Amino acid sequence: MDSPAVRRQSMVLPAKKRRIAVMTSGGDAPGMNGAVRAVVRMSIARGCEVYGIYEGYEGLVNGGNLIKEMKWEDVRGWLSEGGTLIGTARCKSFMLHEGRLKAAKNMVLRGIDALIVCGGDGSLTGADIFRREWPDLLDELVQKKELDLGQIIPFKHLNIVGLVGSIDNDMASTDATIGCYSSLVRICQNIDDINATATSHSRAFVIEVMGRHCGWLALMAGVSTGADFVFIPEHPPGEHWDFEMCEIIKKHRAMGKRKTIVIVAEGAQDRQLKHISPIDVLNVLKNVLGLDTRITTLGHVQRGGTACAYDRMLSTLQGVEAVEAVLDATPETPSPIISIIENKITRKPLVEAVQLTNEVTAAIKAKQFDKAMSLRDAEFAEYYNAHITTETIDAPHLRIPKEKQMRIAIIHVGAPAGGMNAATRAAVAYCLSRGHTPIALHNGFSGLQRHHGDKPLGSVREFDWLEVDKWVSNGGSEIGTNRHLPSADMPTTAKCFELYNFEALFLIGGFEAFTALSQLRKAREEYPSLRVPMVVLPATISNNVPGSEFSLGSDTCLNALVKYCDDLRQSASSTRRRVFVVETQGGRSGYIATLAGLAVGAVAVYTPEEGINREMLASDIDHLQECFGNDQGRGRAGKLILRSEHANDTYTTKMIADMIGEEAHGRFESCYEVVGRYQQGGIPSPMDRVRAVRLAVKCMQMLEEYQGKTGAEVMADKMSAAVIGFKGASVVFTDMEHLETRETNWKDRRPKHEFWLGLRPVIDTLSGRPDYHTSRSMTMREYKDRLEGHEEDITNRDRSLLMEIERLKKELELSKAGKTLPL
């Protein structure tokens, strides 16, 4: 309970010192710990005091040691922890007026005037009610003489900010909630494993997932895994759902498909609101279709485990924005929730978001299912339609007239990336459902140019749907990919377009695909056969394609890199005093290193955009020495530094690790790791899969718009050669001519303006990195020139670093010659 000491402490609070409390409430969700960490560290960095409220609203009501001040080191290592480390509990007492009165008293006694709540719609609704009642609660506490007027005057206004933590992704006004993609990862991992046994025994599986009022998990899992049928509350089937489902599954089986997957949200029902259970579905599959059927209910495994890379980044950025929202707030500012729309973090009115969320539930209960779908975010309906189109490829009502059907060539260009196959599968399924002919160009442009006419099997082949259907969770590129460009033999490339009558081209790949489209567009003047619509879907772990803030494969890469770094940190923490310098891929874009640094809590990140110089290294070494000097034997003491592969030609990953080790003087160790092509492989993440489906369908629809147009008409339309991508809060097509001249840094193979550069200060702030600024990196020559003639300004550290650099370079030269450096 409260003590007199706590009351006295609250009265000496500096006038302008803000005290912010953070709590998690409702069901736990992966990523909540990342949000708490971000709130704690950002609050401290902004000069505020921060308190953790343990056990949700229960802690707010009961007070005492359930409300604790949190320090910087208290949240060390929290990013990789699942659940919520400050606890959560369902609290009935806060729903009562007396409970909220106690909560208000506890906050005033500790000088807290801002509350950041991470939870679902129920938790956030309770928070907003608390804010509305706040002035009356304080007056009542004075009237009951539990507080005096002097105590409440500094706390007349309460700021509330909401972070939506929910695996169901059921809150309106945001595309994603903290924890939803981690839960989707768990679901898809399980279904991918079930697929193998289902295929082996030619069985059907009914998978039940969470989602009492929202079908997001079920729908996204269906899109990610290529499920045959999905039941969601917002768009239920009719009363004869059994017949509808059986017709689709019979067609799939007739095509030769050996497995059947049906995904059921726990809130599934028909249009008369009659509940549809997994048992109901099993009985239909067994009794009507005669399929050997099993049920798997995933249950709470969907909540468990560590957060995926996306949820770590989302929770961190939203936690930072929540603190900024508190500091920006005035007494008139409505309580916001921090949301994300496509790729943009933004603030939305909390009351409005909760109201829209409740309207969805009300619309479902009123059997207004079209309204329920429209109240979800725009991409929800897009994903639903994409799933229907890609899983019903022979539906007559989707087919267009024969004269409008096209021959669409599909090619992979550049390095492999997770999601390439999922995008190809979606494009092929869409083409077949519409009556188009999808054509695979195997092994990129070199395959087209050299092997298109090979016998008995050339590189130009129509897709076999039964084969393509299996690709939904496959990594790499099933039709082959490489970095060769059409310019290597443009005449043959153009001849193939004419010979095989390509009427549209769909390119999936990275900067090479972008470059290829640029070359093809410019070659249209000389080669009439190239005057067809073309579009690039960016797919590269480097995420360096102009025209989009997101590329397929980058999320898969980040998940692999985060897992790798988590394992390294565990090793580093076990020894208490070890630093790992990790080299990431990414070409001349620092996106992967930066986003991974945000997701793993790296001490420092080195990128090509910022470069590396000796002042930066000296500052970071000082910081490491200070961190380990103040460590006092705490756990989770391992440190990570990420270096993008082309951050600097002189300061290699090994050299940086050796320099850190040299300066450590035995107080801590330094090692280096090169992750390499491990980042390119593996099963694509659910995010890459679902975005692949959505964007591929949009690309096919864009190509369809040019059906029937002449070559001259296609050439005259700048949008006939375009890149699809995420820009801010929208998915857009951007014409190649604009991208080539306005948005591309051709020398460094990346966009001129990279949205993620603004995240660097967040990483540095949350890691406690010293405030170091540099306009450009220095080469070794520049470093020597700077020191030359300024001997009096050279510190011992400067000399030490310079000597160590020269020694390491000499050692490298001698080792190449098979010699060793003399002792």
Side-chain angles (χ1 to χ4, degrees), residues 311-363:
D311 276 328
R312 297 190 195 191
M313 295 181 292
L314 179 66
S315 61
T316 297
L317 294 176
Q318 290 191 337
V320 167
E321 183 66 18
V323 174
E324 296 296 338
V326 165
L327 299 178
D328 290 344
T330 66
E332 294 76 32
T333 305
S335 297
I337 63 164
I338 310 303
S339 65
I340 183 167
I341 306 298
E342 299 295 3
N343 231 23
K344 186 178 177 62
I345 301 291
T346 185
R347 303 173 192 174
K348 298 285 186 179
L350 189 154
V351 174
E352 183 179 306
V354 171
Q355 181 180 346
L356 286 171
T357 302
N358 292 335
E359 284 183 21
V360 177
T361 305

Side-chain angles (χ1 to χ4, degrees), residues 429-660:
Y430 183 89
C431 286
L432 294 177
S433 70
R434 302 284 282 171
H436 303 305
T437 302
I439 303 162
L441 307 186
H442 288 261
N443 301 316
F445 281 102
S446 62
L448 177 67
Q449 294 161 356
R450 302 171 190 172
H451 303 291
H452 68 90
D454 287 2
K455 303 296 181 182
L457 204 62
S459 60
V460 179
R461 306 198 290 269
E462 292 186 14
F463 283 98
D464 175 4
W465 172 246
L466 193 59
E467 182 67 24
V468 174
D469 186 42
K470 304 172 186 175
W471 295 358
V472 65
S473 61
N474 288 8
S477 167
E478 291 292 337
I479 64 172
T481 184
N482 55 55
R483 299 180 185 275
H484 291 277
L485 297 171
S487 58
D489 190 352
M490 190 64 79
T492 300
T493 301
K495 179 183 176 182
C496 287
F497 270 66
E498 182 178 3
L499 181 63
Y500 296 102
N501 190 27
F502 299 153
E503 296 176 287
L505 179 65
F506 180 36
L507 302 96
I508 305 172
F511 201 86
E512 286 79 9
F514 179 83
T515 305
L517 180 56
S518 175
Q519 293 176 356
L520 292 169
R521 184 191 71 81
K522 293 173 181 177
R524 283 172 167 175
E525 289 284 350
E526 185 176 353
Y527 301 101
S529 63
L530 300 180
R531 297 169 188 174
V532 298
M534 307 176 186
V535 63
V536 167
L537 197 172
T540 167
I541 68 169
S542 302
N543 196 27
N544 62 338
V545 178
S548 182
E549 295 173 2
F550 175 87
S551 296
L552 300 184
S554 60
D555 186 66
T556 301
C557 174
L558 284 170
N559 280 324
L561 189 54
V562 165
K563 173 65 168 62
Y564 191 94
C565 288
D566 281 351
D567 293 344
L568 287 181
R569 187 189 289 277
Q570 187 178 61
S571 169
S573 297
S574 298
T575 61
R576 286 291 187 268
R577 297 176 175 277
R578 179 175 290 171
V579 180
F580 273 102
V581 183
V582 182
E583 181 177 305
T584 73
Q585 289 192 321
R588 297 200 172 275
S589 169
Y591 173 85
I592 287 297
T594 300
L595 273 290
L598 189 69
V600 301
V603 172
V605 176
Y606 301 134
T607 65
E609 287 83 357
E610 187 177 15
I612 311 174
N613 60 48
R614 59 101 181 174
E615 290 101 333
M616 181 187 294
L617 291 172
S619 176
D620 289 335
I621 291 170
D622 282 342
H623 178 50
L624 287 170
Q625 290 176 331
E626 181 182 356
C627 288
F628 285 112
N630 297 331
D631 184 62
Q632 299 176 346
R634 294 187 181 93
R636 302 190 179 102
K639 306 294 182 186
L640 294 174
I641 292 175
L642 302 188
R643 175 190 175 274
S644 189
E645 58 184 339
H646 292 300
N648 188 279
D649 293 335
T650 300
Y651 296 108
T652 64
T653 305
K654 182 180 184 303
M655 179 178 286
I656 293 171
D658 288 343
M659 291 170 67
I660 292 172

Side-chain angles (χ1 to χ4, degrees), residues 216-228:
W216 188 88
L217 283 174
L219 176 58
M220 295 300 120
V223 173
S224 297
T225 62
D228 297 83

Side-chain angles (χ1 to χ4, degrees), residues 99-116:
R100 293 193 291 276
L101 195 65
K102 289 179 181 179
K105 180 181 177 181
N106 286 328
M107 290 185 66
V108 171
L109 291 178
R110 285 165 177 78
I112 298 169
D113 62 352
L115 180 61
I116 297 174

Side-chain angles (χ1 to χ4, degrees), residues 5-20:
V6 173
R7 296 191 185 96
R8 285 195 298 272
Q9 184 183 10
S10 69
M11 297 307 295
V12 295
L13 183 69
K16 294 185 179 180
K17 188 97 166 181
R18 298 296 301 272
R19 283 184 176 174
I20 300 171

Side-chain angles (χ1 to χ4, degrees), residues 138 420 564 616 685 732 790:
L138 296 190
M420 278 183 160
Y564 191 94
M616 181 187 294
S685 72
V732 298
H790 296 277

Side-chain angles (χ1 to χ4, degrees), residues 721-738:
V723 174
I724 191 172
F726 292 88
K727 285 190 173 183
S730 304
V731 175
V732 298
F733 289 94
T734 309
D735 71 89
M736 274 301 298
E737 185 177 347
H738 172 85

